[in-house]
Amino acid sequence: DTHGSAQRARFLEEIQILAQLDHPNIARIFSSGRTSSGNPFYLMELIEGKPLDQAAASLDPAHRLKLLVEVARAVAHAHQKGIAHRDLKPSNIIVEEKTGQAKVIDFGIARAFEGPSSWGREGTLSGQHIGTPRYMSPEQLAGDPSVDLRTDIFSLGLLIYELALGKPLLAGVIDSKISWEQNACQLRAFAFPRLDDRELDWIARKACALEPDDRYQTGQALLDDLEAKQNKEPVSVGLSYRGYRIRKSLAR
């Protein structure tokens, strides 16, 4: 139902965004058009599987890391197109039952920073809150209109924590019963826990830096470190530690 002008514009915007994305870890759009009554539609692939958190619950750390790498690949691809998903959370990542592959879905509130799409840029105003609070970056939670691609980096960091800990990191921090401003303050005061896996802890902490300038600056940079860990190579966030560099070198 897209009878409202804003709804229709946003729906058409989503079609434009999806048309720019062609990646095995992103749900594909096959076609789009209008019905006989003039309503817009698009046709997407059917993905049968479970949300990321449910699918990862029974997996070992290596398989969970594989899923995180696939999600990061999808995000890096979207970022290369100038597109921020802005609502990365387990229910928007489906692990396909047949292939075991992670697929990012639902670009309904994505924002395009480049290309022909414009609604995401023009439709995001100061003080406007869009997304799922428990998986938002501090700036997105505060309704900051300058939110950029790095908001997805923070959300990816939260997913790293969640898969490592087996529960949503901010479940007891972000409360839907209090104001957005109070939630933003509680997030900034939150002490992120240490993960048992030191390399994963470094990666998650950098991704979840409260200030965007302190995070990975691109989806590709985060992906590079996750792939390095997967391949047992040094991760960039550990290179400042001499002992770590020596141990990785000796291991190779």
Side-chain angles (χ1 to χ4, degrees), residues 146-223:
S146 66
V147 167
D148 58 24
L149 297 170
R150 293 172 294 181
T151 191
D152 284 348
I153 304 297
F154 190 91
S155 300
L156 266 173
L158 292 178
L159 292 178
I160 294 173
Y161 277 111
E162 182 160 346
L163 264 59
L165 298 172
K167 60 182 180 180
L169 180 65
L170 301 180
V173 180
I174 303 301
D175 187 349
S176 60
K177 296 178 182 178
I178 63 177
S179 70
W180 290 90
E181 291 74 16
Q182 287 175 302
N183 273 319
C185 289
Q186 291 194 173
L187 176 56
R188 288 193 171 276
F190 177 64
F192 285 78
R194 290 201 174 275
L195 299 178
D196 292 336
D197 185 313
R198 183 170 61 162
E199 289 178 323
L200 209 56
D201 181 70
W202 288 338
I203 295 170
R205 282 180 180 278
K206 185 171 181 64
C208 285
L210 295 177
E211 299 302 327
D213 288 346
D214 295 331
R215 295 176 205 151
Y216 291 97
Q217 295 302 288
T218 65
Q220 184 62 50
L222 174 53
L223 171 61

Side-chain angles (χ1 to χ4, degrees), residues 10-234:
R10 193 68 188 91
F11 188 86
L12 294 173
E13 169 80 357
E14 186 177 359
I15 292 174
Q16 287 185 343
I17 286 173
L18 289 169
Q20 297 178 59
L21 302 174
D22 183 14
H23 193 274
N25 297 116
I26 296 176
R28 291 177 297 162
I29 183 171
F30 292 131
S31 65
S32 63
R34 292 183 181 274
T35 65
S36 57
S37 60
N39 284 326
F41 75 87
Y42 61 82
L43 175 67
M44 299 187 74
E45 68 173 314
L46 172 65
I47 303 171
E48 296 182 340
K50 295 180 180 179
L52 178 66
D53 54 342
Q54 295 179 27
S58 59
L59 299 179
D60 60 33
H63 279 83
R64 292 199 296 269
L65 178 59
K66 169 186 171 291
L67 294 177
L68 287 169
V69 167
E70 290 177 349
V71 175
R73 285 173 180 164
V75 173
H77 174 74
H79 285 190
Q80 287 167 2
K81 302 288 186 178
I83 295 168
H85 186 283
R86 297 202 296 178
D87 198 20
L88 291 170
K89 57 185 178 181
S91 61
N92 279 344
I93 301 163
I94 304 299
V95 179
E96 201 166 24
E97 188 174 350
K98 289 183 179 179
T99 64
Q101 191 174 43
K103 297 260 193 177
V104 176
I105 65 171
D106 196 352
F107 282 75
I109 64 168
R111 180 176 178 182
F113 291 87
E114 300 173 8
S117 302
S118 62
W119 174 261
R121 291 190 291 269
E122 297 167 0
T124 303
L125 308 174
S126 178
Q128 185 182 44
H129 302 94
I130 299 177
T132 305
R134 191 180 289 180
Y135 294 94
M136 281 184 177
S137 66
E139 64 271 21
Q140 190 175 350
L141 197 58
D144 188 339
S146 66
V147 167
D148 58 24
L149 297 170
R150 293 172 294 181
T151 191
D152 284 348
I153 304 297
F154 190 91
S155 300
L156 266 173
L158 292 178
L159 292 178
I160 294 173
Y161 277 111
E162 182 160 346
L163 264 59
L165 298 172
K167 60 182 180 180
L169 180 65
L170 301 180
V173 180
I174 303 301
D175 187 349
S176 60
K177 296 178 182 178
I178 63 177
S179 70
W180 290 90
E181 291 74 16
Q182 287 175 302
N183 273 319
C185 289
Q186 291 194 173
L187 176 56
R188 288 193 171 276
F190 177 64
F192 285 78
R194 290 201 174 275
L195 299 178
D196 292 336
D197 185 313
R198 183 170 61 162
E199 289 178 323
L200 209 56
D201 181 70
W202 288 338
I203 295 170
R205 282 180 180 278
K206 185 171 181 64
C208 285
L210 295 177
E211 299 302 327
D213 288 346
D214 295 331
R215 295 176 205 151
Y216 291 97
Q217 295 302 288
T218 65
Q220 184 62 50
L222 174 53
L223 171 61
D224 288 344
D225 261 2
L226 286 173
E227 287 185 328
K229 174 164 179 57
Q230 188 178 46
N231 297 327
K232 300 186 180 348
E233 297 171 353

